Amino acid sequence: MKAARILVTGSGAICGAGHSPEAILAALLEGRSAIAPIAQWDTRGWPVAIAAEVADYNAGKLTGDRKLLKHIRRTDVFGLYAADRAIESAGFSAWRDTLDDAAATAFADSTGVYVGSGGGIFANQYDYFGLIAAAQGELKAFGQELAATVNPLWLLRSLPNNVLGHVGIRHGLKGPNACVTHHSVSGLLALAEAAAALRAGECARAVVAAHDAPIEPQTLLYYHQLGLLSPSGLRPFDARHDGSTMGEGAAALTLETEAAALERGAMVLGEVLGFGSGGEAQGLLPVRDDGDGLVRAIRAALADAQLRPAEVGLLVAHGNGTPNSDCSEARALAEVFGDDMPPVSAFKWAFGHLLAAAGLIDVVLALQALRAAVVPGIAGLGPLDVQGAAIAASAAHRPPRSDVALVLSRGFGGTNAACLLRAGAA
């Protein structure tokens, strides 16, 4: 039996490459990368000095509420901004303003919020550094001065579900909600949870957002010590790939059942078709050379969507630039698609790895690309390093072979997620 249709009616995104899905796609098509020297702190002597930071960062302007900045951090600013843009583009508030009180209440109660969030960064603990130094290892001295030294709002500012809560508060959305914190697959899993809730009749519409801001000293230092970061840039599937590069930002979508979208005459950007996920159980960092977990995630998504591999028209790879991930991903794609692989792209070269937001921003951009009938090339792509697997990646822009996209995301612990979606009319 075919599942109920889940439609996409709004989107928003922000990252180093731009403050909207349209601007980010333009950067991809123009071959512009936001990866540059880090500006947030003095990186002299630091082993990694590049990242893709959001340009023109103004927290008050992005949130529209300077008082709120006492309660949230940089990552939350991005998440709220993207969610606000998605809600605005979907026209949720304008529609609710036309309803009587009873219908407006029903609208609020039937609108869910689902968020993919990072697990927190080391900067969340920096408020304690001065006191730790002053206490010189004396726990009693530390405890006596704690309340007088550390901001009492520290806990509220550090909550991983801040975006979830504040989106609901700001827009009066009272339906089901969930916050997924699962490394790089957080965004795709939040989208899957929202779609499942709509299919099950738990809500009529939902806001889905994912956000992260991992560009801070300790995170970069520890990722570097693990051998995961490149000193010069992110080159997915390229023979020169030598690591990933951090980015920051957020993405958001609004989803609606077909009935809810038709009721208000919503513009349809696309349709969510299916999901799959699979773990590899190899450890926190290792991935299987054959990409088995990703193979199973893709096949589960195809089964969920009731699609054949040949029906996929655009494939957005995880493509994080680390040799073991790139090569195992290429083998997974070769296993599923064989010689009939759709055009493959990867977007992280332009705005870095957004960790928890990585999968969802790729979904937003995949929809944008499908609607523009283009598969963005991987800028500067040279000879491939896919170690025995063929992959249909190119530096040139190409047309998609259908209106269906497959988006992949991978994370620590051998986690893999896949999402299939179809574009609406441009």
Side-chain angles (χ1 to χ4, degrees):
M1 180 174 142
K2 189 71 173 176
R5 297 181 69 200
I6 305 302
L7 305 180
V8 179
T9 57
S11 69
I14 182 170
C15 65
H19 290 205
S20 70
E22 295 82 3
I24 301 166
L25 179 63
L28 290 170
L29 296 178
E30 293 167 15
R32 289 187 283 111
S33 173
I35 296 172
I38 293 169
Q40 291 181 55
W41 74 91
D42 185 353
T43 60
R44 284 177 294 184
W46 215 251
V48 177
I50 59 170
E53 297 170 298
V54 169
D56 303 319
Y57 177 77
N58 182 320
K61 184 177 179 180
L62 290 172
T63 61
D65 184 356
R66 293 190 177 277
K67 292 182 180 179
L68 183 60
L69 301 182
K70 297 178 181 179
H71 304 278
I72 62 174
R73 293 187 182 270
R74 186 179 179 105
T75 180
D76 304 323
V77 170
F78 296 138
L80 288 172
Y81 173 85
D84 284 350
R85 300 291 77 75
I87 292 168
E88 180 182 52
S89 69
F92 277 8
S93 298
W95 169 255
R96 186 164 54 179
D97 289 344
T98 68
L99 304 177
D100 61 31
D101 289 347
T105 297
F107 182 97
D109 291 346
S110 61
T111 304
V113 183
Y114 294 82
V115 175
S117 168
I121 58 174
F122 295 99
N124 288 351
Q125 314 304 324
Y126 290 179
D127 293 5
Y128 290 86
F129 280 4
L131 180 57
I132 290 172
Q136 297 182 341
E138 293 292 330
L139 185 59
K140 182 177 180 180
F142 177 85
Q144 286 176 334
E145 295 299 321
L146 182 62
T149 305
V150 177
N151 189 324
L153 297 177
W154 172 85
L155 175 61
L156 295 180
R157 296 185 68 209
S158 303
L159 292 173
N161 65 331
N162 264 336
V163 170
L164 177 75
H166 285 293
V167 168
I169 293 166
R170 174 175 288 194
H171 297 282
L173 307 179
K174 301 179 180 181
N177 56 84
C179 184
V180 178
T181 301
H182 198 16
H183 201 247
S184 300
V185 298
S186 298
L188 280 196
L189 294 185
L191 184 60
E193 289 288 335
L198 267 68
R199 286 178 176 176
E202 296 174 10
C203 53
R205 67 201 64 79
V207 180
V208 184
H211 61 98
D212 218 335
I215 304 173
E216 55 91 40
Q218 279 178 274
T219 295
L220 264 68
L221 176 63
Y222 295 152
Y223 271 70
H224 163 75
Q225 290 177 338
L226 289 171
L228 298 174
L229 297 183
S230 169
S232 56
L234 197 160
R235 304 177 184 88
F237 307 114
D238 194 296
R240 298 166 296 167
H241 59 177
D242 59 356
S244 199
T245 304
M246 288 297 182
E248 62 180 1
L253 294 170
T254 56
L255 305 184
E256 301 186 58
T257 63
E258 186 174 20
L262 287 173
E263 179 186 7
R264 62 187 198 89
M267 182 178 72
V268 176
L269 303 180
E271 180 181 357
V272 175
L273 301 175
F275 293 92
S277 63
E280 294 184 343
Q282 301 293 296
L284 286 178
L285 294 177
V287 294
R288 282 181 52 139
D289 290 341
D290 60 2
D292 171 71
L294 196 55
V295 169
R296 289 185 285 109
I298 295 169
R299 287 178 171 159
L302 289 166
D304 186 34
Q306 298 181 30
L307 292 175
R308 296 174 290 106
E311 295 176 88
V312 177
L314 158 63
L315 200 159
V316 180
H318 182 65
N320 71 1
T322 61
N324 60 340
S325 180
D326 282 357
C327 292
S328 63
E329 184 171 18
R331 294 189 192 103
L333 297 182
E335 173 67 22
V336 174
F337 293 97
D339 296 332
D340 190 28
M341 191 177 298
V344 175
S345 189
F347 302 150
K348 292 180 179 65
W349 64 265
F351 48 74
H353 195 332
L354 273 58
L355 296 189
L360 195 62
I361 198 168
D362 281 353
V363 167
V364 169
L365 294 172
L367 272 180
Q368 198 74 22
L370 284 176
R371 287 168 57 79
V374 63
V375 179
I378 301 173
L381 181 66
L384 298 178
D385 175 19
V386 290
Q387 296 185 13
I391 183 171
S394 171
H397 306 324
R398 294 164 289 169
R401 69 182 187 184
S402 77
D403 62 353
V404 173
L406 171 64
V407 177
L408 307 178
S409 187
R410 313 182 82 183
F412 282 175
T415 56
N416 301 272
C419 172
L420 283 156
L421 52 144
R422 174 176 283 120

